[in-house]
Short mmCIF file of all heavy atoms in Angstrom, two decimals:
data_model
loop_
_atom_site.label_atom_id
_atom_site.label_comp_id
_atom_site.label_asym_id
_atom_site.label_seq_id
_atom_site.Cartn_x
_atom_site.Cartn_y
_atom_site.Cartn_z
N CYS A 1 -163.72 165.49 186.71
CA CYS A 1 -162.95 165.57 185.46
C CYS A 1 -162.91 167.04 184.98
O CYS A 1 -163.99 167.56 184.59
CB CYS A 1 -163.47 164.60 184.46
SG CYS A 1 -162.79 164.73 182.78
N ALA A 2 -161.77 167.58 184.95
CA ALA A 2 -161.67 169.01 184.60
C ALA A 2 -160.85 169.08 183.31
O ALA A 2 -159.61 168.94 183.27
CB ALA A 2 -160.94 169.83 185.74
N PRO A 3 -161.53 169.48 182.23
CA PRO A 3 -160.85 169.72 180.96
C PRO A 3 -160.01 170.92 180.94
O PRO A 3 -160.36 171.94 181.67
CB PRO A 3 -161.99 169.81 179.89
CG PRO A 3 -163.23 169.22 180.69
CD PRO A 3 -162.99 169.57 182.12
N SER A 4 -158.98 170.94 180.27
CA SER A 4 -158.16 172.07 180.08
C SER A 4 -157.97 172.37 178.67
O SER A 4 -158.15 171.47 177.84
CB SER A 4 -156.76 172.02 180.81
OG SER A 4 -155.99 170.86 180.34
N GLY A 5 -157.42 173.48 178.29
CA GLY A 5 -157.21 173.86 176.90
C GLY A 5 -158.56 174.30 176.27
O GLY A 5 -159.34 174.96 176.90
N ARG A 6 -158.71 173.89 175.08
CA ARG A 6 -159.93 174.27 174.30
C ARG A 6 -161.21 173.71 175.01
O ARG A 6 -161.28 172.56 175.49
CB ARG A 6 -160.01 173.78 172.91
CG ARG A 6 -161.02 174.33 172.00
CD ARG A 6 -161.07 173.72 170.61
NE ARG A 6 -161.92 172.48 170.56
CZ ARG A 6 -161.48 171.28 170.51
NH1 ARG A 6 -160.16 171.10 170.48
NH2 ARG A 6 -162.31 170.32 170.47
N THR A 7 -162.25 174.58 175.14
CA THR A 7 -163.41 174.16 175.87
C THR A 7 -164.03 173.03 175.16
O THR A 7 -164.18 172.93 173.93
CB THR A 7 -164.30 175.36 176.01
OG1 THR A 7 -165.54 174.87 176.68
CG2 THR A 7 -164.77 175.98 174.70
N ILE A 8 -164.59 172.06 175.90
CA ILE A 8 -165.28 170.96 175.27
C ILE A 8 -166.71 170.80 175.93
O ILE A 8 -167.35 169.75 175.80
CB ILE A 8 -164.56 169.62 175.51
CG1 ILE A 8 -164.27 169.43 176.98
CG2 ILE A 8 -163.27 169.61 174.71
CD1 ILE A 8 -163.60 168.00 177.33
N SER A 9 -167.21 171.86 176.48
CA SER A 9 -168.46 171.89 177.14
C SER A 9 -169.64 171.57 176.25
O SER A 9 -170.79 171.26 176.66
CB SER A 9 -168.71 173.18 177.89
OG SER A 9 -168.71 174.25 177.04
N SER A 10 -169.45 171.80 174.91
CA SER A 10 -170.53 171.59 174.01
C SER A 10 -170.60 170.12 173.55
O SER A 10 -171.51 169.72 172.80
CB SER A 10 -170.26 172.57 172.72
OG SER A 10 -169.06 172.18 172.05
N TYR A 11 -169.75 169.28 174.07
CA TYR A 11 -169.72 167.85 173.58
C TYR A 11 -170.22 167.00 174.78
O TYR A 11 -170.13 167.32 175.91
CB TYR A 11 -168.36 167.44 173.23
CG TYR A 11 -167.87 168.22 172.05
CD1 TYR A 11 -166.83 169.23 172.22
CD2 TYR A 11 -168.23 168.01 170.72
CE1 TYR A 11 -166.41 169.96 171.10
CE2 TYR A 11 -167.78 168.72 169.69
CZ TYR A 11 -166.80 169.64 169.80
OH TYR A 11 -166.35 170.36 168.80
N ALA A 12 -170.61 165.89 174.38
CA ALA A 12 -170.99 164.81 175.36
C ALA A 12 -169.65 164.32 176.16
O ALA A 12 -168.60 164.37 175.55
CB ALA A 12 -171.66 163.62 174.75
N MET A 13 -169.82 163.94 177.36
CA MET A 13 -168.75 163.46 178.22
C MET A 13 -169.12 162.21 178.75
O MET A 13 -170.28 161.81 178.94
CB MET A 13 -168.42 164.38 179.35
CG MET A 13 -168.03 165.82 178.94
SD MET A 13 -166.35 165.86 178.15
CE MET A 13 -165.32 165.40 179.62
N GLY A 14 -168.15 161.34 178.96
CA GLY A 14 -168.33 160.03 179.55
C GLY A 14 -167.27 159.54 180.48
O GLY A 14 -166.24 160.13 180.74
N TRP A 15 -167.73 158.50 181.26
CA TRP A 15 -166.75 157.90 182.16
C TRP A 15 -166.68 156.46 181.75
O TRP A 15 -167.72 155.74 181.49
CB TRP A 15 -167.25 157.98 183.58
CG TRP A 15 -167.10 159.38 184.30
CD1 TRP A 15 -168.03 160.29 184.25
CD2 TRP A 15 -165.89 159.82 184.96
NE1 TRP A 15 -167.57 161.44 184.99
CE2 TRP A 15 -166.30 161.06 185.43
CE3 TRP A 15 -164.68 159.30 185.22
CZ2 TRP A 15 -165.30 161.98 186.03
CZ3 TRP A 15 -163.73 160.05 185.89
CH2 TRP A 15 -164.04 161.36 186.25
N PHE A 16 -165.43 155.95 181.73
CA PHE A 16 -165.15 154.57 181.49
C PHE A 16 -164.28 154.01 182.68
O PHE A 16 -163.67 154.77 183.28
CB PHE A 16 -164.46 154.34 180.21
CG PHE A 16 -165.42 154.54 179.02
CD1 PHE A 16 -165.65 155.85 178.55
CD2 PHE A 16 -165.92 153.45 178.31
CE1 PHE A 16 -166.47 155.99 177.47
CE2 PHE A 16 -166.67 153.66 177.19
CZ PHE A 16 -166.94 154.97 176.77
N ARG A 17 -164.21 152.75 182.76
CA ARG A 17 -163.32 152.16 183.72
C ARG A 17 -162.68 150.90 183.19
O ARG A 17 -163.21 150.25 182.35
CB ARG A 17 -164.08 151.77 185.10
CG ARG A 17 -165.10 150.76 184.99
CD ARG A 17 -165.86 150.67 186.28
NE ARG A 17 -166.83 149.52 186.23
CZ ARG A 17 -167.73 149.34 187.19
NH1 ARG A 17 -167.74 150.12 188.26
NH2 ARG A 17 -168.55 148.29 187.05
N GLN A 18 -161.42 150.53 183.72
CA GLN A 18 -160.82 149.36 183.26
C GLN A 18 -160.06 148.68 184.51
O GLN A 18 -159.32 149.33 185.07
CB GLN A 18 -159.80 149.68 182.21
CG GLN A 18 -159.23 148.55 181.52
CD GLN A 18 -158.51 148.88 180.18
OE1 GLN A 18 -158.07 150.04 179.95
NE2 GLN A 18 -158.34 147.88 179.40
N ALA A 19 -160.49 147.50 184.70
CA ALA A 19 -159.90 146.66 185.68
C ALA A 19 -158.85 145.81 185.10
O ALA A 19 -158.88 145.57 183.94
CB ALA A 19 -160.95 145.81 186.45
N PRO A 20 -157.83 145.38 185.95
CA PRO A 20 -156.76 144.52 185.37
C PRO A 20 -157.34 143.25 184.64
O PRO A 20 -158.25 142.58 185.19
CB PRO A 20 -155.99 144.14 186.67
CG PRO A 20 -156.26 145.27 187.56
CD PRO A 20 -157.67 145.68 187.36
N GLY A 21 -156.80 143.05 183.43
CA GLY A 21 -157.28 141.96 182.70
C GLY A 21 -158.59 142.06 182.04
O GLY A 21 -159.03 141.10 181.42
N LYS A 22 -159.25 143.20 182.19
CA LYS A 22 -160.61 143.39 181.52
C LYS A 22 -160.58 144.49 180.48
O LYS A 22 -159.59 145.32 180.51
CB LYS A 22 -161.58 143.75 182.66
CG LYS A 22 -161.84 142.55 183.67
CD LYS A 22 -162.97 142.87 184.63
CE LYS A 22 -163.26 141.73 185.52
NZ LYS A 22 -164.45 142.03 186.47
N GLU A 23 -161.50 144.40 179.71
CA GLU A 23 -161.71 145.48 178.70
C GLU A 23 -162.18 146.77 179.31
O GLU A 23 -162.79 146.79 180.41
CB GLU A 23 -162.74 145.02 177.62
CG GLU A 23 -162.30 143.82 176.84
CD GLU A 23 -163.30 143.42 175.75
OE1 GLU A 23 -164.41 143.97 175.76
OE2 GLU A 23 -163.07 142.51 175.06
N ARG A 24 -161.92 147.80 178.64
CA ARG A 24 -162.46 149.11 179.12
C ARG A 24 -164.06 149.12 179.03
O ARG A 24 -164.60 148.79 178.02
CB ARG A 24 -161.97 150.23 178.33
CG ARG A 24 -162.29 151.70 178.85
CD ARG A 24 -161.37 152.66 178.27
NE ARG A 24 -159.89 152.50 178.72
CZ ARG A 24 -159.02 153.41 178.51
NH1 ARG A 24 -159.28 154.59 177.88
NH2 ARG A 24 -157.73 153.09 178.89
N GLU A 25 -164.63 149.41 180.15
CA GLU A 25 -166.07 149.31 180.36
C GLU A 25 -166.76 150.63 180.46
O GLU A 25 -166.30 151.51 181.19
CB GLU A 25 -166.38 148.48 181.56
CG GLU A 25 -167.89 148.33 181.94
CD GLU A 25 -168.04 147.71 183.29
OE1 GLU A 25 -167.16 147.69 184.12
OE2 GLU A 25 -169.17 147.20 183.51
N PHE A 26 -167.82 150.76 179.77
CA PHE A 26 -168.67 152.07 179.83
C PHE A 26 -169.21 152.16 181.16
O PHE A 26 -169.90 151.18 181.67
CB PHE A 26 -169.74 152.03 178.71
CG PHE A 26 -170.68 153.17 178.89
CD1 PHE A 26 -170.29 154.45 178.54
CD2 PHE A 26 -171.94 152.85 179.29
CE1 PHE A 26 -171.23 155.50 178.72
CE2 PHE A 26 -172.81 153.98 179.47
CZ PHE A 26 -172.47 155.23 179.15
N VAL A 27 -169.21 153.30 181.77
CA VAL A 27 -169.79 153.62 183.04
C VAL A 27 -171.04 154.51 182.98
O VAL A 27 -172.05 154.20 183.45
CB VAL A 27 -168.74 154.13 184.05
CG1 VAL A 27 -169.40 154.45 185.37
CG2 VAL A 27 -167.62 153.13 184.23
N ALA A 28 -170.77 155.73 182.41
CA ALA A 28 -171.78 156.72 182.37
C ALA A 28 -171.41 157.69 181.32
O ALA A 28 -170.31 157.94 180.92
CB ALA A 28 -171.98 157.37 183.69
N ALA A 29 -172.50 158.39 180.74
CA ALA A 29 -172.24 159.45 179.80
C ALA A 29 -173.31 160.45 179.96
O ALA A 29 -174.39 160.24 180.51
CB ALA A 29 -172.20 158.88 178.42
N ILE A 30 -172.99 161.74 179.54
CA ILE A 30 -173.94 162.82 179.70
C ILE A 30 -173.82 163.69 178.47
O ILE A 30 -172.82 163.87 177.89
CB ILE A 30 -173.61 163.68 181.01
CG1 ILE A 30 -174.68 164.72 181.19
CG2 ILE A 30 -172.20 164.30 180.87
CD1 ILE A 30 -174.58 165.35 182.61
N SER A 31 -175.06 164.24 177.97
CA SER A 31 -175.05 164.99 176.81
C SER A 31 -174.39 166.39 177.06
O SER A 31 -174.08 166.80 178.14
CB SER A 31 -176.46 165.17 176.42
OG SER A 31 -177.20 165.96 177.32
N TRP A 32 -174.16 167.09 176.01
CA TRP A 32 -173.55 168.45 176.09
C TRP A 32 -174.31 169.37 176.91
O TRP A 32 -173.76 170.18 177.64
CB TRP A 32 -173.32 168.99 174.67
CG TRP A 32 -174.56 169.39 174.04
CD1 TRP A 32 -175.38 168.70 173.25
CD2 TRP A 32 -175.14 170.71 174.13
NE1 TRP A 32 -176.46 169.46 172.88
CE2 TRP A 32 -176.30 170.65 173.39
CE3 TRP A 32 -174.79 171.91 174.71
CZ2 TRP A 32 -177.17 171.86 173.21
CZ3 TRP A 32 -175.64 173.05 174.55
CH2 TRP A 32 -176.81 172.98 173.84
N SER A 33 -175.61 169.25 176.91
CA SER A 33 -176.57 170.09 177.68
C SER A 33 -176.69 169.65 179.15
O SER A 33 -177.25 170.39 179.95
CB SER A 33 -177.85 170.23 177.00
OG SER A 33 -178.53 169.02 177.02
N GLY A 34 -176.37 168.38 179.38
CA GLY A 34 -176.63 167.87 180.69
C GLY A 34 -177.96 167.30 180.86
O GLY A 34 -178.34 166.85 181.96
N ASP A 35 -178.77 167.32 179.89
CA ASP A 35 -180.15 166.93 179.86
C ASP A 35 -180.44 165.51 179.79
O ASP A 35 -181.48 164.93 180.14
CB ASP A 35 -181.08 167.67 178.97
CG ASP A 35 -181.14 169.21 179.14
OD1 ASP A 35 -181.04 169.57 180.27
OD2 ASP A 35 -181.27 169.89 178.15
N SER A 36 -179.43 164.82 179.22
CA SER A 36 -179.58 163.39 178.99
C SER A 36 -178.37 162.58 179.49
O SER A 36 -177.21 163.02 179.31
CB SER A 36 -179.65 163.17 177.43
OG SER A 36 -179.75 161.72 177.19
N THR A 37 -178.64 161.55 180.28
CA THR A 37 -177.63 160.70 180.87
C THR A 37 -177.86 159.25 180.44
O THR A 37 -178.94 158.81 180.13
CB THR A 37 -177.56 160.81 182.36
OG1 THR A 37 -178.77 160.43 182.91
CG2 THR A 37 -177.21 162.36 182.73
N TYR A 38 -176.78 158.50 180.50
CA TYR A 38 -176.88 157.10 180.19
C TYR A 38 -175.88 156.33 181.11
O TYR A 38 -174.74 156.85 181.33
CB TYR A 38 -176.56 156.98 178.61
CG TYR A 38 -176.62 155.53 178.16
CD1 TYR A 38 -177.65 154.70 178.43
CD2 TYR A 38 -175.53 155.01 177.35
CE1 TYR A 38 -177.78 153.48 177.95
CE2 TYR A 38 -175.69 153.73 176.86
CZ TYR A 38 -176.74 152.91 177.12
OH TYR A 38 -176.81 151.64 176.70
N TYR A 39 -176.35 155.24 181.55
CA TYR A 39 -175.40 154.42 182.44
C TYR A 39 -175.30 153.01 182.01
O TYR A 39 -176.15 152.40 181.51
CB TYR A 39 -176.05 154.45 183.82
CG TYR A 39 -176.17 155.83 184.50
CD1 TYR A 39 -177.28 156.63 184.34
CD2 TYR A 39 -175.16 156.36 185.18
CE1 TYR A 39 -177.40 157.93 184.82
CE2 TYR A 39 -175.15 157.70 185.74
CZ TYR A 39 -176.34 158.37 185.60
OH TYR A 39 -176.36 159.64 186.09
N GLY A 40 -174.09 152.46 182.39
CA GLY A 40 -173.92 151.05 182.18
C GLY A 40 -174.75 150.28 183.19
O GLY A 40 -175.05 150.68 184.29
N ASN A 41 -175.05 149.10 182.77
CA ASN A 41 -176.00 148.25 183.59
C ASN A 41 -175.42 147.97 185.00
O ASN A 41 -176.15 147.91 186.06
CB ASN A 41 -176.34 146.87 182.99
CG ASN A 41 -177.20 147.09 181.77
OD1 ASN A 41 -177.97 148.05 181.70
ND2 ASN A 41 -177.15 146.15 180.76
N SER A 42 -174.03 147.91 185.13
CA SER A 42 -173.48 147.57 186.39
C SER A 42 -173.47 148.66 187.42
O SER A 42 -173.21 148.50 188.54
CB SER A 42 -172.05 147.05 186.15
OG SER A 42 -171.29 148.14 185.61
N VAL A 43 -173.74 149.92 186.95
CA VAL A 43 -173.80 151.04 187.88
C VAL A 43 -175.03 151.76 187.99
O VAL A 43 -175.09 152.69 188.76
CB VAL A 43 -172.65 151.98 187.47
CG1 VAL A 43 -171.25 151.37 187.34
CG2 VAL A 43 -173.04 152.70 186.16
#
């Protein structure tokens, strides 16, 4: 995931996914520093 425009490196980033007929599901997230991560149970 490559951001463009204004830098957003100081913010947390996340990944979500959505399958047909399902709600958008949290996959993973990472803090602005990269020191903290969080994952959905399924992954």
Side-chain angles (χ1 to χ4, degrees):
C1 175
S4 62
R6 193 185 88 253
T7 180
I8 57 173
S9 61
S10 62
Y11 300 103
M13 298 289 294
W15 286 95
F16 290 77
R17 66 187 183 186
Q18 189 164 24
K22 295 186 177 181
E23 298 179 352
R24 188 161 296 190
E25 176 189 19
F26 170 74
V27 175
I30 188 168
S31 65
W32 71 272
S33 65
D35 294 331
S36 180
T37 58
Y38 182 48
Y39 298 93
N41 290 332
S42 62
V43 305

